[in-house]
């Protein structure tokens, strides 16, 4: 199979279902998928903090965690946990609970997100407003890509079910990660 990252990136944007099927067909192991998730999230956090620190007037910084390692750890745990929760919700709605497929697609989705973030960083050098508009457009494109990926991974064959599974799974994962974080922070504050 001849697969280039550039063509896969473009196909992910234009035809995410076909891209997802190609990625799953590669047969990437769970360990490799988790390592890819960790790597891409670390790059995302580095780019995020570089963008944040390059801004002279950052309003959102106090709302976020102050250390990149903490943010990366939470994002890694949340992403991996969300794969299991989405798989669970997918099984309830009649899909396959194939966490390995979900993880490999999450890893590729993170890589695509890093690509979008690099493009946004370059655009921000020209104009902050254009970068914000680009990020808004990318947000909606990424939702479509992610729902298509989950539909393929769970073999639901229904985008509405995939939408429901994705967002209910993400909300449940977010709530459970938030509860764990509040317990950990509570232990350190005692």
């Amino acid at each position: 199979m001849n697969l280039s990252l550039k063509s896969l990136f473009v196909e992910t944007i234009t035809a995410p279902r076909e891209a997802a099927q190609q990625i799953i067909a590669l047969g990437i192991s769970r360990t490799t998928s988790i390592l890819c998730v960790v790597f891409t999230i670390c790059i995302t956090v580095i780019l995020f903090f570089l963008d944040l620190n390059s801004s002279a007037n950052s309003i959102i910084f106090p709302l976020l965690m102050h250390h990149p390692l903490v943010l990366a750890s939470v994002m890694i745990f949340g992403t991996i946990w969300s794969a299991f929760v989405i798989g669970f919700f997918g099984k309830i709605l009649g899909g396959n609970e194939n966490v390995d497929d979900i993880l490999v697609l999450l890893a590729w989705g993170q890589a695509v997100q890093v690509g979008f973030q690099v493009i946004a960083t370059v655009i921000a050098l020209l104009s902050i407003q254009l970068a914000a508009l680009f990020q808004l457009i990318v947000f909606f494109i990424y939702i479509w890509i992610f729902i298509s990926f989950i539909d393929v991974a769970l073999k639901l064959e229904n985008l509405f079910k995939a939408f429901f599974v994705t967002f209910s799974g993400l909300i449940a994962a977010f709530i459970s990660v938030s509860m764990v974080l509040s317990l950990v922070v509570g232990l350190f504050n005692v």
Side-chain angles (χ1 to χ4, degrees), residues 8-180:
L8 188 59
F9 183 84
V10 171
E11 188 172 14
T12 300
I13 298 168
T14 58
R17 295 180 60 81
E18 289 77 14
Q21 290 166 351
Q22 286 183 22
I23 294 166
I24 290 171
L26 293 173
I28 297 172
S29 70
R30 181 180 292 193
T31 305
T32 305
S33 297
I34 290 173
L35 288 174
C36 289
V37 166
V38 169
F39 180 70
T40 54
I41 286 177
C42 287
I43 292 173
T44 300
V45 169
I46 289 168
L47 288 172
F48 178 74
F49 274 87
L50 284 175
D51 287 346
L52 199 60
N53 289 331
S54 67
S55 174
N57 186 8
S58 179
I59 300 170
I60 51 177
F61 189 67
L63 301 175
L64 299 171
M65 296 175 198
H66 295 281
H67 197 278
L69 187 59
V70 174
L71 181 60
S73 300
V74 170
M75 286 178 67
I76 290 166
F77 176 70
T79 301
I80 293 170
W81 177 242
S82 69
F84 288 94
V85 175
I86 288 171
F88 173 76
F89 278 99
K91 187 176 181 183
I92 290 174
L93 286 178
N96 294 348
E97 186 184 10
N98 194 340
V99 176
D100 292 338
D101 289 351
I102 296 170
L103 277 171
V104 74
L105 292 175
L106 282 176
W108 177 247
Q110 287 290 336
V112 169
Q113 191 172 17
V114 166
F116 284 144
Q117 196 169 1
V118 168
I119 294 169
T121 302
V122 171
I123 293 173
L125 295 173
L126 302 172
S127 169
I128 294 294
Q129 291 81 9
L130 281 177
L133 180 62
F134 176 77
Q135 288 285 26
L136 180 65
I137 293 167
V138 164
F139 174 75
F140 290 111
I141 291 172
Y142 193 74
I143 288 174
W144 175 57
I145 290 169
F146 193 69
I147 291 170
S148 299
F149 277 10
I150 297 302
D151 188 33
V152 170
L154 298 175
K155 296 177 179 49
L156 292 170
E157 302 300 328
N158 184 332
L159 281 178
F160 181 71
K161 279 185 181 180
F163 176 81
F164 179 76
V165 165
T166 300
F167 283 99
S168 59
L170 289 175
I171 290 169
F174 175 77
I175 290 171
S176 60
V177 168
S178 297
M179 289 173 36
V180 169

